[in-house]
Amino acid sequence: MGLGLAAQADEAASLRDAYAARAGVSAATLIPEGEQLFRAGGTGERHCTACHTDDPTQDGKTRVGKRIAPMAPAANPARFTDPAKVEKWFGRNCKDVLARACSDREKAAVIAWLMSLETRK
């Protein structure tokens, strides 16, 4: 049985706030930083947008063509509700895109920005 929408939003906010607290910052101040990291982080062909597209409210696609559900919780309420999955994917994707682990601040920033997005109408 899955979480209700309100509970899923609470889980995502709780995770964002936990990363921000560990970084010693307020998550609300990190939204622009999260967008910058998502859109411009990485080098060469390695960017978040390469798989997740410029519009994270829409589906993305892996390099081998597998569908990736939207990153923005507004479009995919299950996003950021499982801390183990969040750590797994930040671990893989940060190494792939940035060639290093993401800091707690970067994780909080990306989640904060993605949580600020609304779906296209």
Side-chain angles (χ1 to χ4, degrees), residues 14-94:
S14 176
L15 192 56
R16 174 203 61 203
D17 292 346
Y19 285 129
R22 288 199 310 237
V25 295
S26 166
T29 65
L30 296 175
I31 292 172
E33 186 177 321
E35 180 175 12
Q36 175 70 18
L37 181 60
F38 188 88
R39 296 195 185 285
T43 58
E45 295 179 9
R46 307 267 182 184
H47 297 278
C48 299
T49 57
C51 293
H52 297 291
T53 79
D54 287 331
D55 183 355
T57 66
Q58 302 298 308
D59 285 350
K61 197 178 286 185
T62 68
R63 283 178 257 168
V64 297
K66 184 178 175 186
R67 176 187 173 264
I68 301 172
M71 293 298 294
N76 178 9
R79 187 66 74 188
F80 304 117
T81 58
D82 181 334
K85 281 187 180 178
V86 172
E87 276 298 305
K88 171 186 167 184
W89 289 109
F90 268 127
R92 285 188 187 178
N93 292 337
C94 291

